[in-house]
Amino acid sequence: MTETTARISNTITGTTKMFKRSRDENKVSKQSDKFRKMDKESDNESGGETEQRTRALTQFCSEAGETAGPPIELPLNLPKQKLQLILNSLLKQDDNIPYSFFVEEKEVTKDLNEVLPEDYSEEKIVSILYQAQAVFKVQAVTRCTSSLPGHAEAVLCASFSPDGRFLASGSGDTTVRFWDISTETPHWTAKGHKHWVLVTAWSPDGNFLASGCKSGLVIVWDPNTGKQVGRTFNSHTKWITALCWEPLHLSEDGRCCRLASASKDGTIRIWNTTSGSAGKALSGHMQSVTALRWSGEGFIYSASQDRTIKVWRPSDGVLCRTLQGHGHWVNTLALNTDYAIRTGASDPKKLMKTIPEYIKNPSDRKTAAEERYRAALQQAGGVEKMVSGSDDFTLYLWTPTSNKRPVAHMTGHQQLVNDVKFSPDTRLIASASFDKSIRLWNALDGKFIAVLRGHVSGVYQLAWSADSRLLVSGSKDSTLKVWSVEKRNLLLDLPGHADEVYTVDWSPDGQRVVSGGKDKILKLWRK
């Protein structure tokens, strides 16, 4: 027995009484009933005081319904940290893996006393659901380390590359700028657009950045040189509203080359960035396409102002199904596998090491990306789900590849929904709205969890930390706010911008948050 195991076993011995009960043993004896009845009568005679609960018979269960060890009698004041030690011992894990615990959908943050229902009976087994958390931990950003001027107009989009080594921003001044992360200084200024740069998207292998502007142009850039790659794609007749790359694990040779663009002209186009050729033009929406997602299962999902979401097969351009339900424009889409698709082969745990680990070989990157995608899908229950947010103040949760009907209709916001994102661990959904609030939802069934209030104006965009424990938001009130998901409250208020904050992103290595907005300044935040 190792020293760690011995320590855990001693902890269990000192705080729990482990035993197995058959059905017959679960029956409480008449004598126990008699004593319990006498105690209650005594309490009633002494002023109606109820018997104080001190222990509970518990059973640890996984999300898949598998039990961990036998039922255990635990003190109700047992700290959450001790629950983790007990569970790791039951699962025979020498490493102290962190877990979240839930009783009837209420998370244990302190001890069992806070989550047991009022009608709890000591004769019933309390099921404790456990969920593994990320073994790495992202520290909350606390201060602005750099204010980066350079753009001549508002910063409309900014994001880190999948491996966190590059940062790019798009602006109303028609340029795309690349920034040096190590020195936090300007690197390249990419010119080629004729109007506001509205959207940017990194390829999952990190080799390219695509940008779209208000004049309908799509340009691909090399972040190492700041130069344009290939020709300018100019088939759209109105401005570009969304861009997305084919997931890395679906690529032919581990190199991303297929890009989808959506436009206000109501069409979606697929481009080959290597050959410069145009693929299928997907037309079917009656109004502007507002959001786009390329799923890990090989489908393209598009949302539109015509109140519908369409599912496309990019190989031949066939429309598979149309999802209806929203009563107004559909503004935003998110997949529960988005984070795994976005970061591709870049595992945040490896990026956070003292010497970050990067995969350079294309075939190795493809293999690693597929492993990460399958792991995320398994964690999500084996089903790729999608959530949509709308001007009708609501969200819908879908299983778009198999069903036209939504899994859940999520109501509660009092104004239109601007942004929605699944947490990297696929278990939570965060939505931002013009009603000044952020709401958290259960990603499995769409049930409401909590509302986060603190902004004094509309919330534009959200970004999760890689470990799913923190959330950052940018608002019209000119501030960023960092939220604790576990405590469901405001952790840090980050003022500094002189005007509205349009865009925020958290780097995959957990080190930085970037923000940009109407004041034309890009800000980098660190611990």
Side-chain angles (χ1 to χ4, degrees):
M1 180 180 293
T2 64
E3 183 180 348
T4 304
T5 306
R7 177 173 55 81
I8 295 173
S9 299
N10 290 335
T11 303
I12 297 173
T13 303
T15 58
T16 68
K17 183 181 177 183
M18 195 176 299
F19 59 93
K20 296 182 180 180
R21 292 187 177 181
S22 63
R23 292 181 179 178
D24 292 337
E25 289 174 325
N26 282 332
K27 296 180 180 178
V28 182
S29 65
K30 293 182 180 180
Q31 187 175 4
S32 298
D33 286 336
K34 180 179 178 181
F35 284 130
R36 191 171 287 107
K37 183 176 180 182
M38 289 173 62
D39 288 340
K40 289 181 180 179
E41 290 175 353
S42 176
D43 287 337
N44 291 334
E45 290 174 1
S46 62
E49 295 180 358
T50 58
E51 182 182 359
Q52 186 176 4
R53 303 174 300 178
T54 59
R55 307 182 74 82
L57 183 61
T58 63
Q59 175 69 69
F60 289 98
C61 298
S62 69
E63 295 172 280
E66 299 173 351
T67 58
I72 304 174
E73 188 172 327
L74 297 177
L76 297 185
N77 61 354
L78 191 70
K80 178 183 175 182
Q81 292 77 9
K82 295 291 181 64
L83 287 177
Q84 291 186 354
L85 288 172
I86 294 169
L87 180 59
N88 275 283
S89 180
L90 291 173
L91 296 176
K92 299 180 180 179
Q93 296 172 155
D94 288 338
D95 296 331
N96 189 17
I97 297 175
Y99 288 92
S100 293
F101 300 96
F102 299 85
V103 176
E104 295 188 356
E105 299 183 0
K106 294 181 180 179
E107 185 172 1
V108 179
T109 57
K110 185 179 179 183
D111 54 34
L112 293 175
N113 266 318
E114 62 181 348
V115 294
L116 285 180
E118 294 182 359
D119 58 350
Y120 149 72
S121 170
E122 291 185 357
E123 296 145 8
K124 294 182 179 179
I125 296 179
V126 177
S127 179
I128 302 178
L129 177 69
Y130 64 88
Q131 295 177 346
Q133 293 182 300
V135 293
F136 57 89
K137 192 167 185 179
V138 174
Q139 299 294 323
V141 295
T142 58
R143 59 195 174 93
C144 176
T145 56
S146 294
S147 292
L148 307 177
H151 283 297
E153 293 293 339
V155 179
L156 303 178
C157 48
S159 59
F160 292 96
S161 63
D163 57 13
R165 289 190 290 177
F166 297 100
L167 170 64
S169 59
S171 167
D173 64 7
T174 76
T175 68
V176 173
R177 283 180 175 260
F178 294 93
W179 307 86
D180 190 317
I181 290 298
S182 57
T183 61
E184 299 186 352
T185 56
H187 204 178
W188 312 108
T189 300
K191 299 181 179 180
H193 286 290
K194 299 178 181 178
H195 216 310
W196 299 348
V197 179
L198 301 175
V199 290
T200 57
W202 285 96
S203 62
D205 60 5
N207 289 337
F208 305 107
L209 177 85
S211 58
C213 70
K214 197 172 180 180
S215 60
L217 304 181
V218 177
I219 300 178
V220 178
W221 311 93
D222 182 350
N224 293 294
T225 62
K227 302 295 184 181
Q228 181 174 340
V229 178
R231 71 179 185 88
T232 300
F233 303 116
N234 57 2
S235 297
H236 287 293
T237 59
K238 294 184 179 180
W239 68 61
I240 306 300
T241 55
L243 295 169
C244 68
W245 291 82
E246 180 183 34
L248 180 56
H249 68 274
L250 296 180
S251 63
E252 293 183 0
D253 56 359
R255 294 180 174 87
C256 294
C257 63
R258 290 211 294 172
L259 171 70
S261 60
S263 169
K264 190 176 173 64
D265 63 16
T267 66
I268 300 137
R269 293 184 178 271
I270 301 172
W271 314 93
N272 188 310
T273 59
T274 302
S275 64
S277 61
K280 300 289 182 181
L282 312 179
S283 58
H285 283 295
M286 305 303 293
Q287 294 185 45
S288 171
V289 181
T290 53
L292 208 57
R293 284 291 183 273
W294 199 318
S295 88
E297 300 300 306
F299 294 93
I300 288 179
Y301 307 127
S302 60
S304 170
Q305 290 182 353
D306 64 10
R307 301 177 296 172
T308 69
I309 301 163
K310 293 186 183 293
V311 181
W312 309 86
R313 195 167 59 214
S315 58
D316 52 12
V318 169
L319 175 62
C320 300
R321 60 179 56 84
T322 299
L323 310 179
Q324 295 179 312
H326 282 295
H328 213 299
W329 296 351
V330 185
N331 297 321
T332 180
L333 295 177
L335 296 173
N336 56 2
T337 54
D338 266 347
Y339 201 82
I341 292 173
R342 172 198 168 177
T343 51
S346 301
D347 188 341
K349 181 172 62 175
K350 295 180 180 179
L351 297 179
M352 291 181 192
K353 292 184 176 181
T354 305
I355 301 177
E357 295 181 11
Y358 305 108
I359 302 175
K360 296 182 179 180
N361 185 281
S363 61
D364 292 341
R365 280 196 303 222
K366 179 179 179 180
T367 302
E370 185 164 7
E371 289 175 355
R372 295 194 64 240
Y373 172 75
R374 295 302 169 194
L377 196 63
Q378 183 180 5
Q379 195 167 34
V383 180
E384 193 170 58
K385 291 182 179 177
M386 179 177 69
V387 66
S388 56
S390 167
D391 267 18
D392 64 9
F393 309 171
T394 73
L395 300 98
Y396 275 100
L397 184 63
W398 312 85
T399 51
T401 58
S402 60
N403 202 332
K404 286 185 177 182
R405 294 188 177 182
V407 175
H409 186 201
M410 301 143 72
T411 60
H413 281 297
Q414 304 301 311
Q415 288 291 332
L416 62 88
V417 179
N418 285 319
D419 192 22
V420 59
K421 284 186 173 68
F422 279 90
S423 61
D425 65 8
T426 75
R427 290 176 177 137
L428 296 173
I429 298 169
S431 57
S433 168
F434 267 134
D435 66 7
K436 311 173 190 176
S437 76
I438 299 159
R439 289 179 177 263
L440 296 178
W441 316 81
N442 188 317
L444 184 65
D445 53 17
K447 289 185 178 179
F448 170 74
I449 294 176
V451 59
L452 307 177
R453 300 189 188 277
H455 283 294
V456 296
S457 195
V459 185
Y460 285 127
Q461 202 170 52
L462 303 168
W464 285 92
S465 63
D467 63 354
S468 302
R469 293 184 176 98
L470 301 170
L471 187 68
V472 65
S473 56
S475 168
K476 188 178 180 180
D477 65 12
S478 81
T479 70
L480 278 76
K481 296 189 188 299
V482 181
W483 310 87
S484 168
V485 175
E486 180 183 8
K487 296 179 181 179
R488 316 277 196 255
N489 62 8
L490 177 64
L491 195 61
L492 290 163
D493 190 10
L494 302 176
H497 279 285
D499 214 323
E500 304 177 23
V501 180
Y502 292 145
T503 180
V504 294
D505 190 29
W506 207 313
S507 63
D509 61 10
Q511 299 297 317
R512 300 171 181 84
V513 166
V514 64
S515 61
K518 198 173 181 180
D519 60 3
K520 311 173 189 177
I521 300 295
L522 209 66
K523 286 184 178 289
L524 286 173
W525 309 81
R526 299 189 70 177
K527 181 180 181 303

